[in-house]
Every structure is written in structure tokens, then in C-alpha cells.
């Protein structure tokens, strides 16, 4: 009976063992490394309990080397080896039915450590960037409110002072030079367009780290332009683009005197400002300088208006300095201008002396109009970003040569690349504008957003 029992147990054992070995051999291909390992551990544990159950000796006093009965098992196993075998078959059958069938699940590295999900790392980086962005955003807004923004009442007073002086100058020119053909003067510039900023002696870089705001900062509206349009006869003058001349400078124009054989010299009031057959912006500016600085009694006009007015010291020959309050000063630039067709030119010559016969193409009004239109279209922060941008550059000696037009074009180019200019994106757009400016400076080329063939950095030296 014992022999028969041993043979029967061995036969059953061989069948189940074969099934288990088969499952273990093929589980890795089906389940992958992790699944195969877990299945193997569980199956070996069950097989061990099964082996102990079927190999129990007839004498319960027989002990194993470890001092415990080798056939002793937990109570939950039950006393029937036949029932245990049936349960094992059922469990294996169900396991095989639920195994994945995708061969790609197999893995060759059994001991590969578990790595954190890339999405978790990415979310942590994005969270950190978000916190930094919010911190910079808050500081930029605070910096703008306390250092950059000009109070509305001060802007109104500065504009009123400019209007008063413009009115006096217009009256004087009509009385003193009634034959000078001029159109109506008008105010222009960053102050007039609410794009000016002035923040004294503290820079943004000094402010941002600790967030402190020294109160010795004077916020003032300090600069405006008075445009003086010349009236030219259309049939006597024509424009020649700078790129079509031997100088090859886009963004500048020569104004040539036409038809001298039919309309000899003196037919136009502005023939007196012609040099070498071209209307010279420098000569036109000198004519107005004699009027503005030498002919007008500005101290008398100042006492009438309750201002202190005096011509600015050279090299600002066409600039008036106006003190309209005890600690408020305003500089007014007189800028002669002319319009031929759809081309508007200003008497602001090239920085290089050999090109002083060229008139500058006026793009600033159109650039400002586009910037404001974009902001009005989506309630964006472009103008706000430009004001902060200008403040940083004004207080940085290395960036002091950059003009408002150049910085405006940096923002306009960035607007073509980025569509979201909501107030929440100010920090991102500000940093992008700084990086973009660095790229343009390294390349030495900043194309105009309105006229790409014009390089707005053409007048800067390599050192600058």
C-alpha cells in the first residue's frame, strides 16, 4: 500500500510538475520579466507545499534536519492531497487564461531598477518654472507701478507745457517768417503716445533680487517731440531711396531738386537749403536753430507762461529745456519733417558725418500704431513690456545707444512668433524679448518689422 501510494503520488507529481515547469519556462516570453518573476515565486511556493503534502511519512515522529516535521503544513492547506491538486490545477488554468499574449512584453533585463515616470520629472520641472515665472511676474508688475509708470496728472501737465510752447512758436514763426511754407505743427514721441518711462538712477537689476524700493526715485515725463512739417512743391522735389544711391543705406532718402531748367533756383522757398542738388536736412535744421535759439525771446515767453525756458546746450541744437515745476523738467525736440507721396521723412540725419545729406525714413508712428493695435485686439501686454524694456536699457550704459524704435521692433518681431500676450505671460515675454535682443545684437542686424530691408542697427559701431 505504501509503495502504491508512493507511485501514485510520484505520477501526480510528475504531471503537475511538468505543467509548472512549462508555465515557468514560457511565462517570461508572455508576462515579461516582472510578471515571470512574480509567477515563479508564487508557483514555487505552492509546489513546495504540494511536495510536502504528498511526501508525508507514515510515522508522524519523523523530523527533518531543521527539527520540524517536514510534512507539517498550515491548517488552511486542508488534509486532502487530492483536493490540493485540484485547486492548483484550477489556479494555474485561470492564470494561463489571463496571461497577456503580446510578445513585445518580454524583457531581457531581469534586475532592471524601477525608474520614476518621465511625466513626474517633467511636472516637477514645470512646477518649478511656474513658481519662478510667478515670482518674476509679481516683481515686474511692482517695478512698473512704482518705477516705470508716469502718473496721469504729470503726463497731462507735461503735455500742456508742450502745447503752450508749440502755440507760442507757431505764432512767432507766422509773424517773423510769414513766407516760410509750413503745415500745422503737432506733438509726437513716447510721452505723447503714453509709451515713455523714466525711473531715475536705480536699475531693474538692482531692484529684482530683494524687492526693495528706494523712495528717492523721481518719476517724470521728460521728453517730447514737436514735429514741424515743411510744405514742398510736388513737382520740384523727388525722393531717392538710400539703397539706390552709392551709399547703399536702406531707411534713408535723398531729396532731389527736380526740373531746374523750367523752375530755376529760387522758385521754391527751400532752394536756400539745397546742397549739391539735394535738400540738406542739416541746412534745414540750421535754419530752425537760428530761429529757435537766436530769434525768440524765450525768457519773456517763459515768464508769461510761468515756465523757465532755455535752449538746451549743444549738441542738442534744436532742443528746448522747460522747467514747468520746481522739480519737473521737459525737453522739447524740434524736428523738421516733410512728406512726399506716402513717404514721411524727418531731418534726423545719419550718425556718420559723410551721410549727413540723407533724410531719415519715419517709421516710428507706424510702429507705435501697430503695437497699440495689437494690444487693443487681444488686451495684450506688449506696451507694458516695452516700457519695462526701455527702462532697463536706459539705465544700462551698454544698452544706452538703443532707441525706442529698435526696442519696439524687438517686441513686434516677438509678436509675430508668439500669439499669447495676456497679462499672465508678461514674465515669459519679457525674458524672450531680452533673449531676442541679444540675438539681434550678436548678429548685428535688426530688420524693421515694417520694412525688412532696413537694418535698424546699421548706425551702431561693432563696439557698441
Amino acid at each position: 500500500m505504501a509503495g502504491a501510494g508512493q507511485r501514485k503520488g510520484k505520477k501526480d507529481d510528475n504531471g503537475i510538475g511538468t505543467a509548472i515547469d512549462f508555465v515557468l519556462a514560457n511565462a517570461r516570453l508572455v508576462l515579461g520579466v516582472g510578471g515571470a518573476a512574480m509567477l515563479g515565486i508564487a508557483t514555487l511556493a505552492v509546489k513546495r507545499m504540494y511536495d510536502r503534502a504528498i511526501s508525508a511519512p507514515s510515522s508522524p515522529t519523523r523530523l527533518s534536519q531543521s527539527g520540524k516535521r517536514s510534512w507539517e503544513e498550515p491548517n488552511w492547506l486542508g488534509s486532502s492531497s487530492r483536493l490540493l491538486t485540484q485547486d492548483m490545477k484550477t489556479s494555474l488554468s485561470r492564470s494561463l487564461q489571463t496571461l497577456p499574449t503580446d510578445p513585445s512584453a518580454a524583457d531581457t533585463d531581469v534586475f532592471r531598477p524601477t525608474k520614476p515616470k518621465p511625466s513626474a520629472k517633467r511636472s516637477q520641472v514645470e512646477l518649478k518654472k511656474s513658481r519662478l515665472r510667478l515670482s518674476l511676474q509679481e516683481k515686474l508688475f511692482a517695478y512698473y507701478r512704482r518705477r516705470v509708470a508716469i502718473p496721469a496728472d504729470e503726463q497731462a501737465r507735461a503735455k500742456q507745457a508742450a502745447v503752450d510752447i508749440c502755440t507760442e512758436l507757431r505764432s512767432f514763426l507766422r509773424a517773423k517768417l510769414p513766407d516760410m511754407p509750413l503745415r500745422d505743427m503737432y506733438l509726437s514721441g513716447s510721452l505723447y503716445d503714453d509709451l515713455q518711462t523714466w525711473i531715475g538712477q536705480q536699475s531693474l537689476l538692482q531692484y529684482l533680487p530683494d524687492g526693495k524700493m528706494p523712495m528717492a526715485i523721481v518719476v517724470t515725463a521728460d521728453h517730447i517731440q514737436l514735429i514741424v512739417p515743411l510744405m514742398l512743391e510736388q513737382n520740384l522735389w523727388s525722393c531717392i531711396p538710400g539703397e539706390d544711391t552709392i551709399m547703399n543705406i536702406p531707411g534713408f532718402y535723398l531729396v532731389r531738386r527736380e526740373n531746374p531748367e523750367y523752375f530755376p533756383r529760387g522758385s521754391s522757398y527751400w532752394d536756400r537749403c539745397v546742397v549739391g542738388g539735394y535738400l540738406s536736412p542739416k541746412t534745414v535744421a540750421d535754419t530752425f536753430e537760428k530761429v529757435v535759439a537766436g530769434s525768440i525771446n524765450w525768457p519773456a515767453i517763459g515768464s508769461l507762461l510761468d515756465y523757465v525756458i532755455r535752449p538746451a546746450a549743444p549738441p542738442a541744437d534744436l532742443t528746448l529745456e522747460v522747467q514747468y515745476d520746481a522739480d519737473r523738467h521737459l525737453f522739447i525736440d524740434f524736428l523738421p519733417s516733410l512728406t512726399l507721396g506716402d513717404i514721411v521723412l524727418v531731418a534726423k540725419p545719419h550718425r556718420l558725418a559723410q551721410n549727413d545729406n540723407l533724410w531719415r525714413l519715419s517709421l516710428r508712428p507706424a510702429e507705435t500704431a501697430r503695437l497699440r493695435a495689437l494690444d487693443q485686439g487681444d488686451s495684450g501686454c506688449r506696451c507694458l513690456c516695452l516700457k519695462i524694456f526701455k527702462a532697463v536699457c536706459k539705465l544700462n550704459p551698454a544698452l544706452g545707444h538703443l532707441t525706442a524704435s529698435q526696442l519696439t521692433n524687438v517686441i513686434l518681431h516677438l509678436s509675430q512668433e508668439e500669439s499669447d500676450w495676456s497679462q499672465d505671460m508678461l514674465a515669459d515675454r519679457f525674458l524672450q524679448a531680452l533673449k531676442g535682443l541679444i540675438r539681434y545684437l550678436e548678429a548685428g542686424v535688426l530688420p524693421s518689422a515694417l520694412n525688412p530691408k532696413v537694418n535698424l542697427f546699421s548706425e551702431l559701431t561693432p563696439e557698441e
Side-chain angles (χ1 to χ4, degrees), residues 75 120 123 132 155 207 223 238 242 326 342 344 346 377 414 425 441-442:
N75 294 332
S123 62
L132 292 175
Q155 290 193 45
Y207 158 72
H223 203 89
S238 65
D342 58 351
V344 180
V346 292
L414 184 59
M425 298 301 295
L441 287 171
E442 289 177 343

Side-chain angles (χ1 to χ4, degrees), residues 399-414:
L399 301 176
H401 296 289
L402 296 175
T403 65
S405 178
Q406 292 166 343
L407 300 180
T408 301
N409 276 269
V410 172
I411 302 295
L412 289 176
H413 283 301
L414 184 59

